[in-house]
């Protein structure tokens, strides 16, 4: 095959499947930056594969790319396990903030599998459980290929996905979103109350057993290092962290649901993802680690 033909085939394959590569990597890793690195490495491996005269034709290019990206992602996930255990405070996924300024080629596909509530639960699973669930239930990969990614038997891969499913099912809010109009209304009221420093207004929006998590990576000295529980305490600690700083609270799409981007002098300093239950906010996930916000416009 001549070089021009190879490059034409490569361009067509990559254009058709680039997004699924990044989608897989982001869901496995919970990191936009790491997902980009995995995407680039998969790109290089595809080019080398197509340029190899001894390689067999790619009969299932999507499955091949998902498999390669998954292996790279799970290797990176396992390599990060120690640093994540040593992380100061809660470790939350990097948020995906989408607006009209986001270029189509830079968009992660947004669906229920990218909601913050689900990603937070996935963070509690082992790398094998997380990957097996995502590859089978979200990306429709068979257990033979998943077993190859994980280096286990198909039966073990199936069992990992089953364990993940049970854990997710136990966290009902992680799997099923609330009515979009209700979520939008609650988020707008939340942003207004935060902007006004309205403690009572915030408490009214929160479920009685609401929780708060703030991922600062140690950059915010007064940030709670554990989970804050109960509507009054969550609201109080939240306002204590943002009050008097001249911050603007902008409603935006965060991981496929209404959320809030907190800006200071136009620069994003925190992104807030919200969980919803009925007509209340059940959890606040604040991501303020600057390293996790570099991609947010």
């Amino acid at each position: 095959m001549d070089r021009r033909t190879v490059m034409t085939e490569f361009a067509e394959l990559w254009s058709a499947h680039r997004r699924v590569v990044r989608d897989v990597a982001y869901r496995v890793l919970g990191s936009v930056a790491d997902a980009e690195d995995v995407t680039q490495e998969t790109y290089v491996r595809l080019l080398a594969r197509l340029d190899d005269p001894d390689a067999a034709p790619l009969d299932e290019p999507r499955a091949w790319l998902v498999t390669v990206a998954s292996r790279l992602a799970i290797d990176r996930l396992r390599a990060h396990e120690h640093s994540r255990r040593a992380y100061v405070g809660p470790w939350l996924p990097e948020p995906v903030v989408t607006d009209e300024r986001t270029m189509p080629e830079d968009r992660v596909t947004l669906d229920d599998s990218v909601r913050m509530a689900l990603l937070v639960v996935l963070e509690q699973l082992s790398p094998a459980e997380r990957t097996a669930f995502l590859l089978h239930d979200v990306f429709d990969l068979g257990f033979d290929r998943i077993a190859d990614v994980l280096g286990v038997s198909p039966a073990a891969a199936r069992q990992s996905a089953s364990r993940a499913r049970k854990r997710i099912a136990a966290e009902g809010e992680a799997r099923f979103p609330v009515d979009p109009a209700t979520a939008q209304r609650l988020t707008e009221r939340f942003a207004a109350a935060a902007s006004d420093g309205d403690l009572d207004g915030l408490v009214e929006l929160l479920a009685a057993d609401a929780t708060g998590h703030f991922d600062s990576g140690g950059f915010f000295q007064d940030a709670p290092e554990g989970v804050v529980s109960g509507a009054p305490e969550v609201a109080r600690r939240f306002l204590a962290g943002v009050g008097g700083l001249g911050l603007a609270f902008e409603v935006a799409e965060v991981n496929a649901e209404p959320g809030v981007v907190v800006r200071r002098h136009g620069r994003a300093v925190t992104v807030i993802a919200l969980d919803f239950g009925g007509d209340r906010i059940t959890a606040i996930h604040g991501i303020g680690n600057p390293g996790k916000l570099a991609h947010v416009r």
Side-chain angles (χ1 to χ4, degrees), residues 34-90:
D34 282 344
E36 288 293 348
D37 289 343
V38 167
T39 301
Q40 289 303 312
E41 192 166 350
T42 304
Y43 172 97
V44 171
R45 295 197 180 194
L46 174 62
L47 183 56
R49 174 72 169 68
L50 295 179
D51 212 15
D52 182 355
D54 298 323
L58 274 179
D59 295 328
E60 298 181 86
R62 180 184 183 277
W64 186 89
L65 286 166
V66 169
T67 299
V68 171
S70 301
R71 285 178 183 153
L72 294 170
I74 198 170
D75 285 348
R76 191 172 287 242
L77 186 64
R78 286 168 171 161
H80 288 346
E81 279 190 288
H82 176 73
S83 61
R84 289 193 182 184
R85 284 195 296 269
Y87 195 79
V88 177

Side-chain angles (χ1 to χ4, degrees), residues 193-194 196-206 231-240:
D196 294 341
D198 181 0
L199 178 62
D200 291 339
L202 281 177
V203 172
E204 182 182 347
L205 293 171
L206 299 173
E233 185 65 5
V234 170
R236 186 186 70 77
R237 293 295 296 271
F238 175 75
L239 286 182

Side-chain angles (χ1 to χ4, degrees), residues 119-137:
L119 293 181
V120 168
V121 175
L122 292 180
E123 287 295 331
Q124 302 167 25
L125 306 179
S126 72
E129 291 168 344
R130 177 179 186 147
T131 306
F133 167 77
L134 287 168
L135 293 186
H136 184 266
D137 287 36

Side-chain angles (χ1 to χ4, degrees), residues 201-225:
L202 281 177
V203 172
E204 182 182 347
L205 293 171
L206 299 173
D209 59 350
T211 57
H213 321 74
F214 188 71
D215 177 345
S216 76
F219 285 90
F220 291 73
Q221 188 173 8
D222 297 328
E225 293 187 8

Side-chain angles (χ1 to χ4, degrees), residues 116-268:
M116 189 62 70
L118 177 59
L119 293 181
V120 168
V121 175
L122 292 180
E123 287 295 331
Q124 302 167 25
L125 306 179
S126 72
E129 291 168 344
R130 177 179 186 147
T131 306
F133 167 77
L134 287 168
L135 293 186
H136 184 266
D137 287 36
V138 178
F139 293 100
D140 300 319
L141 225 62
F143 283 112
D144 287 345
R145 281 193 177 271
I146 297 171
D148 189 33
V149 170
L150 299 178
V152 300
S153 68
R158 187 183 298 273
Q159 185 62 30
S160 290
S162 177
R163 285 195 298 268
R165 232 174 269 123
K166 289 175 182 176
R167 181 68 177 272
I168 293 165
E171 303 282 347
E173 294 169 10
R175 197 66 197 271
F176 301 107
V178 75
D179 171 65
T182 300
Q184 183 70 26
R185 175 175 54 81
L186 288 170
T187 304
E188 290 172 355
R189 291 177 60 192
F190 175 89
S195 181
D196 294 341
D198 181 0
L199 178 62
D200 291 339
L202 281 177
V203 172
E204 182 182 347
L205 293 171
L206 299 173
D209 59 350
T211 57
H213 321 74
F214 188 71
D215 177 345
S216 76
F219 285 90
F220 291 73
Q221 188 173 8
D222 297 328
E225 293 187 8
V227 178
V228 180
S229 300
E233 185 65 5
V234 170
R236 186 186 70 77
R237 293 295 296 271
F238 175 75
L239 286 182
V242 301
L245 299 178
L247 302 175
F249 296 82
E250 172 188 307
V251 175
E253 185 178 48
V254 178
N255 286 70
E257 293 187 306
V260 176
V261 177
V262 184
R263 299 186 186 275
R264 188 175 190 181
H265 305 308
R267 181 174 62 88

